[in-house]
Amino acid sequence: MKVPCRWLADYVEIEITDEAIARLAERLTLAGLEVEGIETTGTLRNAVVGRVISSEPLPKSDHLTLCTVDIGSETVEIVCGASNVVDGGLVPVVLPDGELPNGLKIERRKLRGVVSNGMICSKEELGLEDSSEGIWNFELGLNLEVGADLTELLEYDDTIFDIKVPSNRPDCASVYGVARDVAALLERPLADLPTDIEETLPPAAERIRIEIEDPSDTPRYAARLMEGITIRPAPLRMQHRLIKAGMRPLSNVVDATNYVMLELGHPLHPFDADLVDEPIVIRRATAGETFRTLDGIDRRLTEEVLMIADGRGGLALAGVMGGERSEIRPETNRLLLEIAAFDGYTIRKASRAVGLRSEASQRFERRIDPESVSLAAERAAHLIQRLTGCQIHRGLADGYPAPSTRPMVRLRPERASLVLGLDLDQTTCLDILRRLQIDAEPDGSEIVATIPYHRPDLEREADLIEDVGRIYGYDKLESAPPKPVLSVGRKDATELAKDRIREIVTGLGMIEVVGDGFDQREWRQALGMPDDDLIRLVNPMTIGQAALRSSLVPGILSIVDTNLSRGVDGGMIYEIGRIFSATGGEREAFGGALFGRTGTPLRGKERVSLSLAKGILDDLFRRLQLDGVSTLPASLRGCSFLHIGRSTDFVHNKRLLGFLGELTPAVIERFAIPTTVLVFEFDAAMLTANADAPIAYTEVPQYPASKRDLSVSAPAGLAEAEVRGAILAEPEIEMALLYDSYEGEQIAAGRKSLTYELAFRAADRTLTDPEVDAIVGRIETRLGKLDVRLRT
């Protein structure tokens, strides 16, 4: 928000000096209105209005013109290089010893043997626009007198604040709103705005009918009706203020509405009343409806757009931009002035839907209180009547279905002192609130504040405390050195457990990847994972962020696919991250994939395998002290993306811990993956349940181990873990290493051969052969109950 300080000075007394402006900028910033930049307009000196009496080509020049100019007190000759000099036209003239806003000094100069007594200026040279094609020929209708001092007609020697207005302070998106805070900060009175008008015509409500389809979209819509309008340029000072505030002057009526918008923060829109039919209807656009806005663009609308319409169609995009059909024209004689309050969220959606953001929409999006309509209407009518001499119909045509009430909030001064760390009493708090134009009265030891319409951000006691603090001055807080007790930060148990997993699997040759946390829809559908339990986003940024991920596997596989498509031979990757579901909530998971070559140094072109993957996981279980992990066929889980014969579930304490398996050929073919891919996923919390348990150490055995091979024939459907469990049930069995598994012609149908290397050891002696034979006999008996027989 650009705020010219001389405009600000109309409402509150401030000094326009470099030192005072710097102090004010600092005070505003400390009070929550950050001054992001400060600009100056420069100085215009010894400049007057001149009339070109005659102009003729300058001898010995192909582009210069010698102009005879009446400057009021005398007639002078001025050499001009512009091609748009008009005899009889009024122009800005800077005389010798004058100065332009850019600092250029003007002196008498001799050009082609002729003395030039000053300079005829363009708007660019006067700092009113970035680029000009020629001199500024003053518009007809400005009623300027020859010889009039331009420094009085315009407004230079000014400073412009560029203020970053907080989103919760719509009142400060206006010069008067900033002035209100300045008056409170400097403890100076705030001037009232002139709003007096002369109403001579019948009531506007008898001529204008308003229909609001949905009061939630349009809490209030009002209109003023004026007649006898004369369209001409606005006074130069008003034009200059609009330019300094970042807007382009157009005409007296349009400039007046823009002036009030910048002044009060309430957008208004003028219609040519002769181009508007009754009734005025505020409605949603129909899907596919087209509308031509003031910028001459035909826009295709959706049902999100709020329209101002009449019997012939659209008049304006409510709160965004007016339409070409009813715009103000040079011949406009009757004026219909819209003053409305629209729902901020509705205007934000409409602005996005049409791809158009305006000064008006930015203010409506912050929320305009319906009660501000009356003041904005009276202020605009006052200015338009002064600028055009029009006649005004009495009162407003007002659609206000549900008038709002002013809320009341209680403030406890002792609470304010405690929160702010300042010594504040009731009198001080009352004074600050009243300086902010908040009606406040004492009630015992407390204060009852009636919130004004221009402060919709004040909803609770904390908001009033913040206002008291920023006006009182946070700079008045006593400085004290910090006295914290320094302590070394540490991670919580969950993060430490995740770090432990990282440490282990990274040491086993795996590489960590990080997904974005969103559902990979294409991969999830290819894997046959359901979507009825997903947590979906209400307003996703992109299509790919429509839901949170329910598994790490789809995201990991997308990373595998990307690497393979870019020529990576293979690798072993893992991710530790959160997954989400509507029924299960949020939890930590550990997942990964092995594909192609292992990428392990000194292992040549070795490719990944199920045995390699299971070895990594077994080592992980062991180092996390997760004992008693058993396996089950993955078909019991119904994983349609896993190869039934090459996958397994891991179970711990009868609870599913996770799974490991090879992708099915169907998935491999669908994504044209050129290699075998193994995937796994585990519940990270279950994995690390025993990670913090103390480690039990045993002494190094003093007696040697005795080793024997044991080959058995087992039913093909019997899990190897059950065979191993029967063997390890003997306390003297230190190790049971499975090194061969066979099914085929050399063994009976429905059977498989398992061969183990067993290590026998006792803690107190060297086992003898008879003792080992006895242990093998007990193992044979135990295995027999499982229909497992020793092979000879």
Side-chain angles (χ1 to χ4, degrees), residues 14 20 26 29 52 58 84 88 117 215 252 266 277 299 330 343 345 348 379 412 462 494 547 559 586 591 624 654 690:
I14 58 173
E26 182 180 6
T29 299
V52 179
L58 185 67
N84 64 332
N117 296 282
N252 50 2
H266 195 131
D277 294 340
R299 301 182 185 273
D343 174 63
Y345 183 58
R348 184 180 297 113
R379 177 60 175 163
R412 295 165 293 173
T494 300
I559 294 173
E586 177 181 348
L624 290 175
K654 298 183 179 180
N690 298 332

Side-chain angles (χ1 to χ4, degrees), residues 248-261:
R248 181 169 59 94
L250 296 171
S251 68
N252 50 2
V253 169
V254 176
D255 290 355
T257 59
N258 286 335
Y259 192 89
V260 173
M261 178 183 69

Side-chain angles (χ1 to χ4, degrees), residues 271-277 312 329 331-335:
F271 298 99
D272 187 321
D274 291 327
L275 302 177
V276 177
D277 294 340
R312 290 190 287 158
R329 305 165 297 161
E331 59 271 23
T332 295
N333 180 260
R334 298 176 65 244
L335 175 68

Side-chain angles (χ1 to χ4, degrees), residues 469-492:
R470 68 186 187 83
I471 298 302
Y472 185 83
Y474 293 126
D475 55 320
K476 295 179 182 177
L477 286 167
E478 292 185 7
S479 298
K483 300 179 181 179
V485 177
L486 297 179
S487 60
V488 178
R490 59 183 180 182
K491 295 182 178 181
D492 62 20

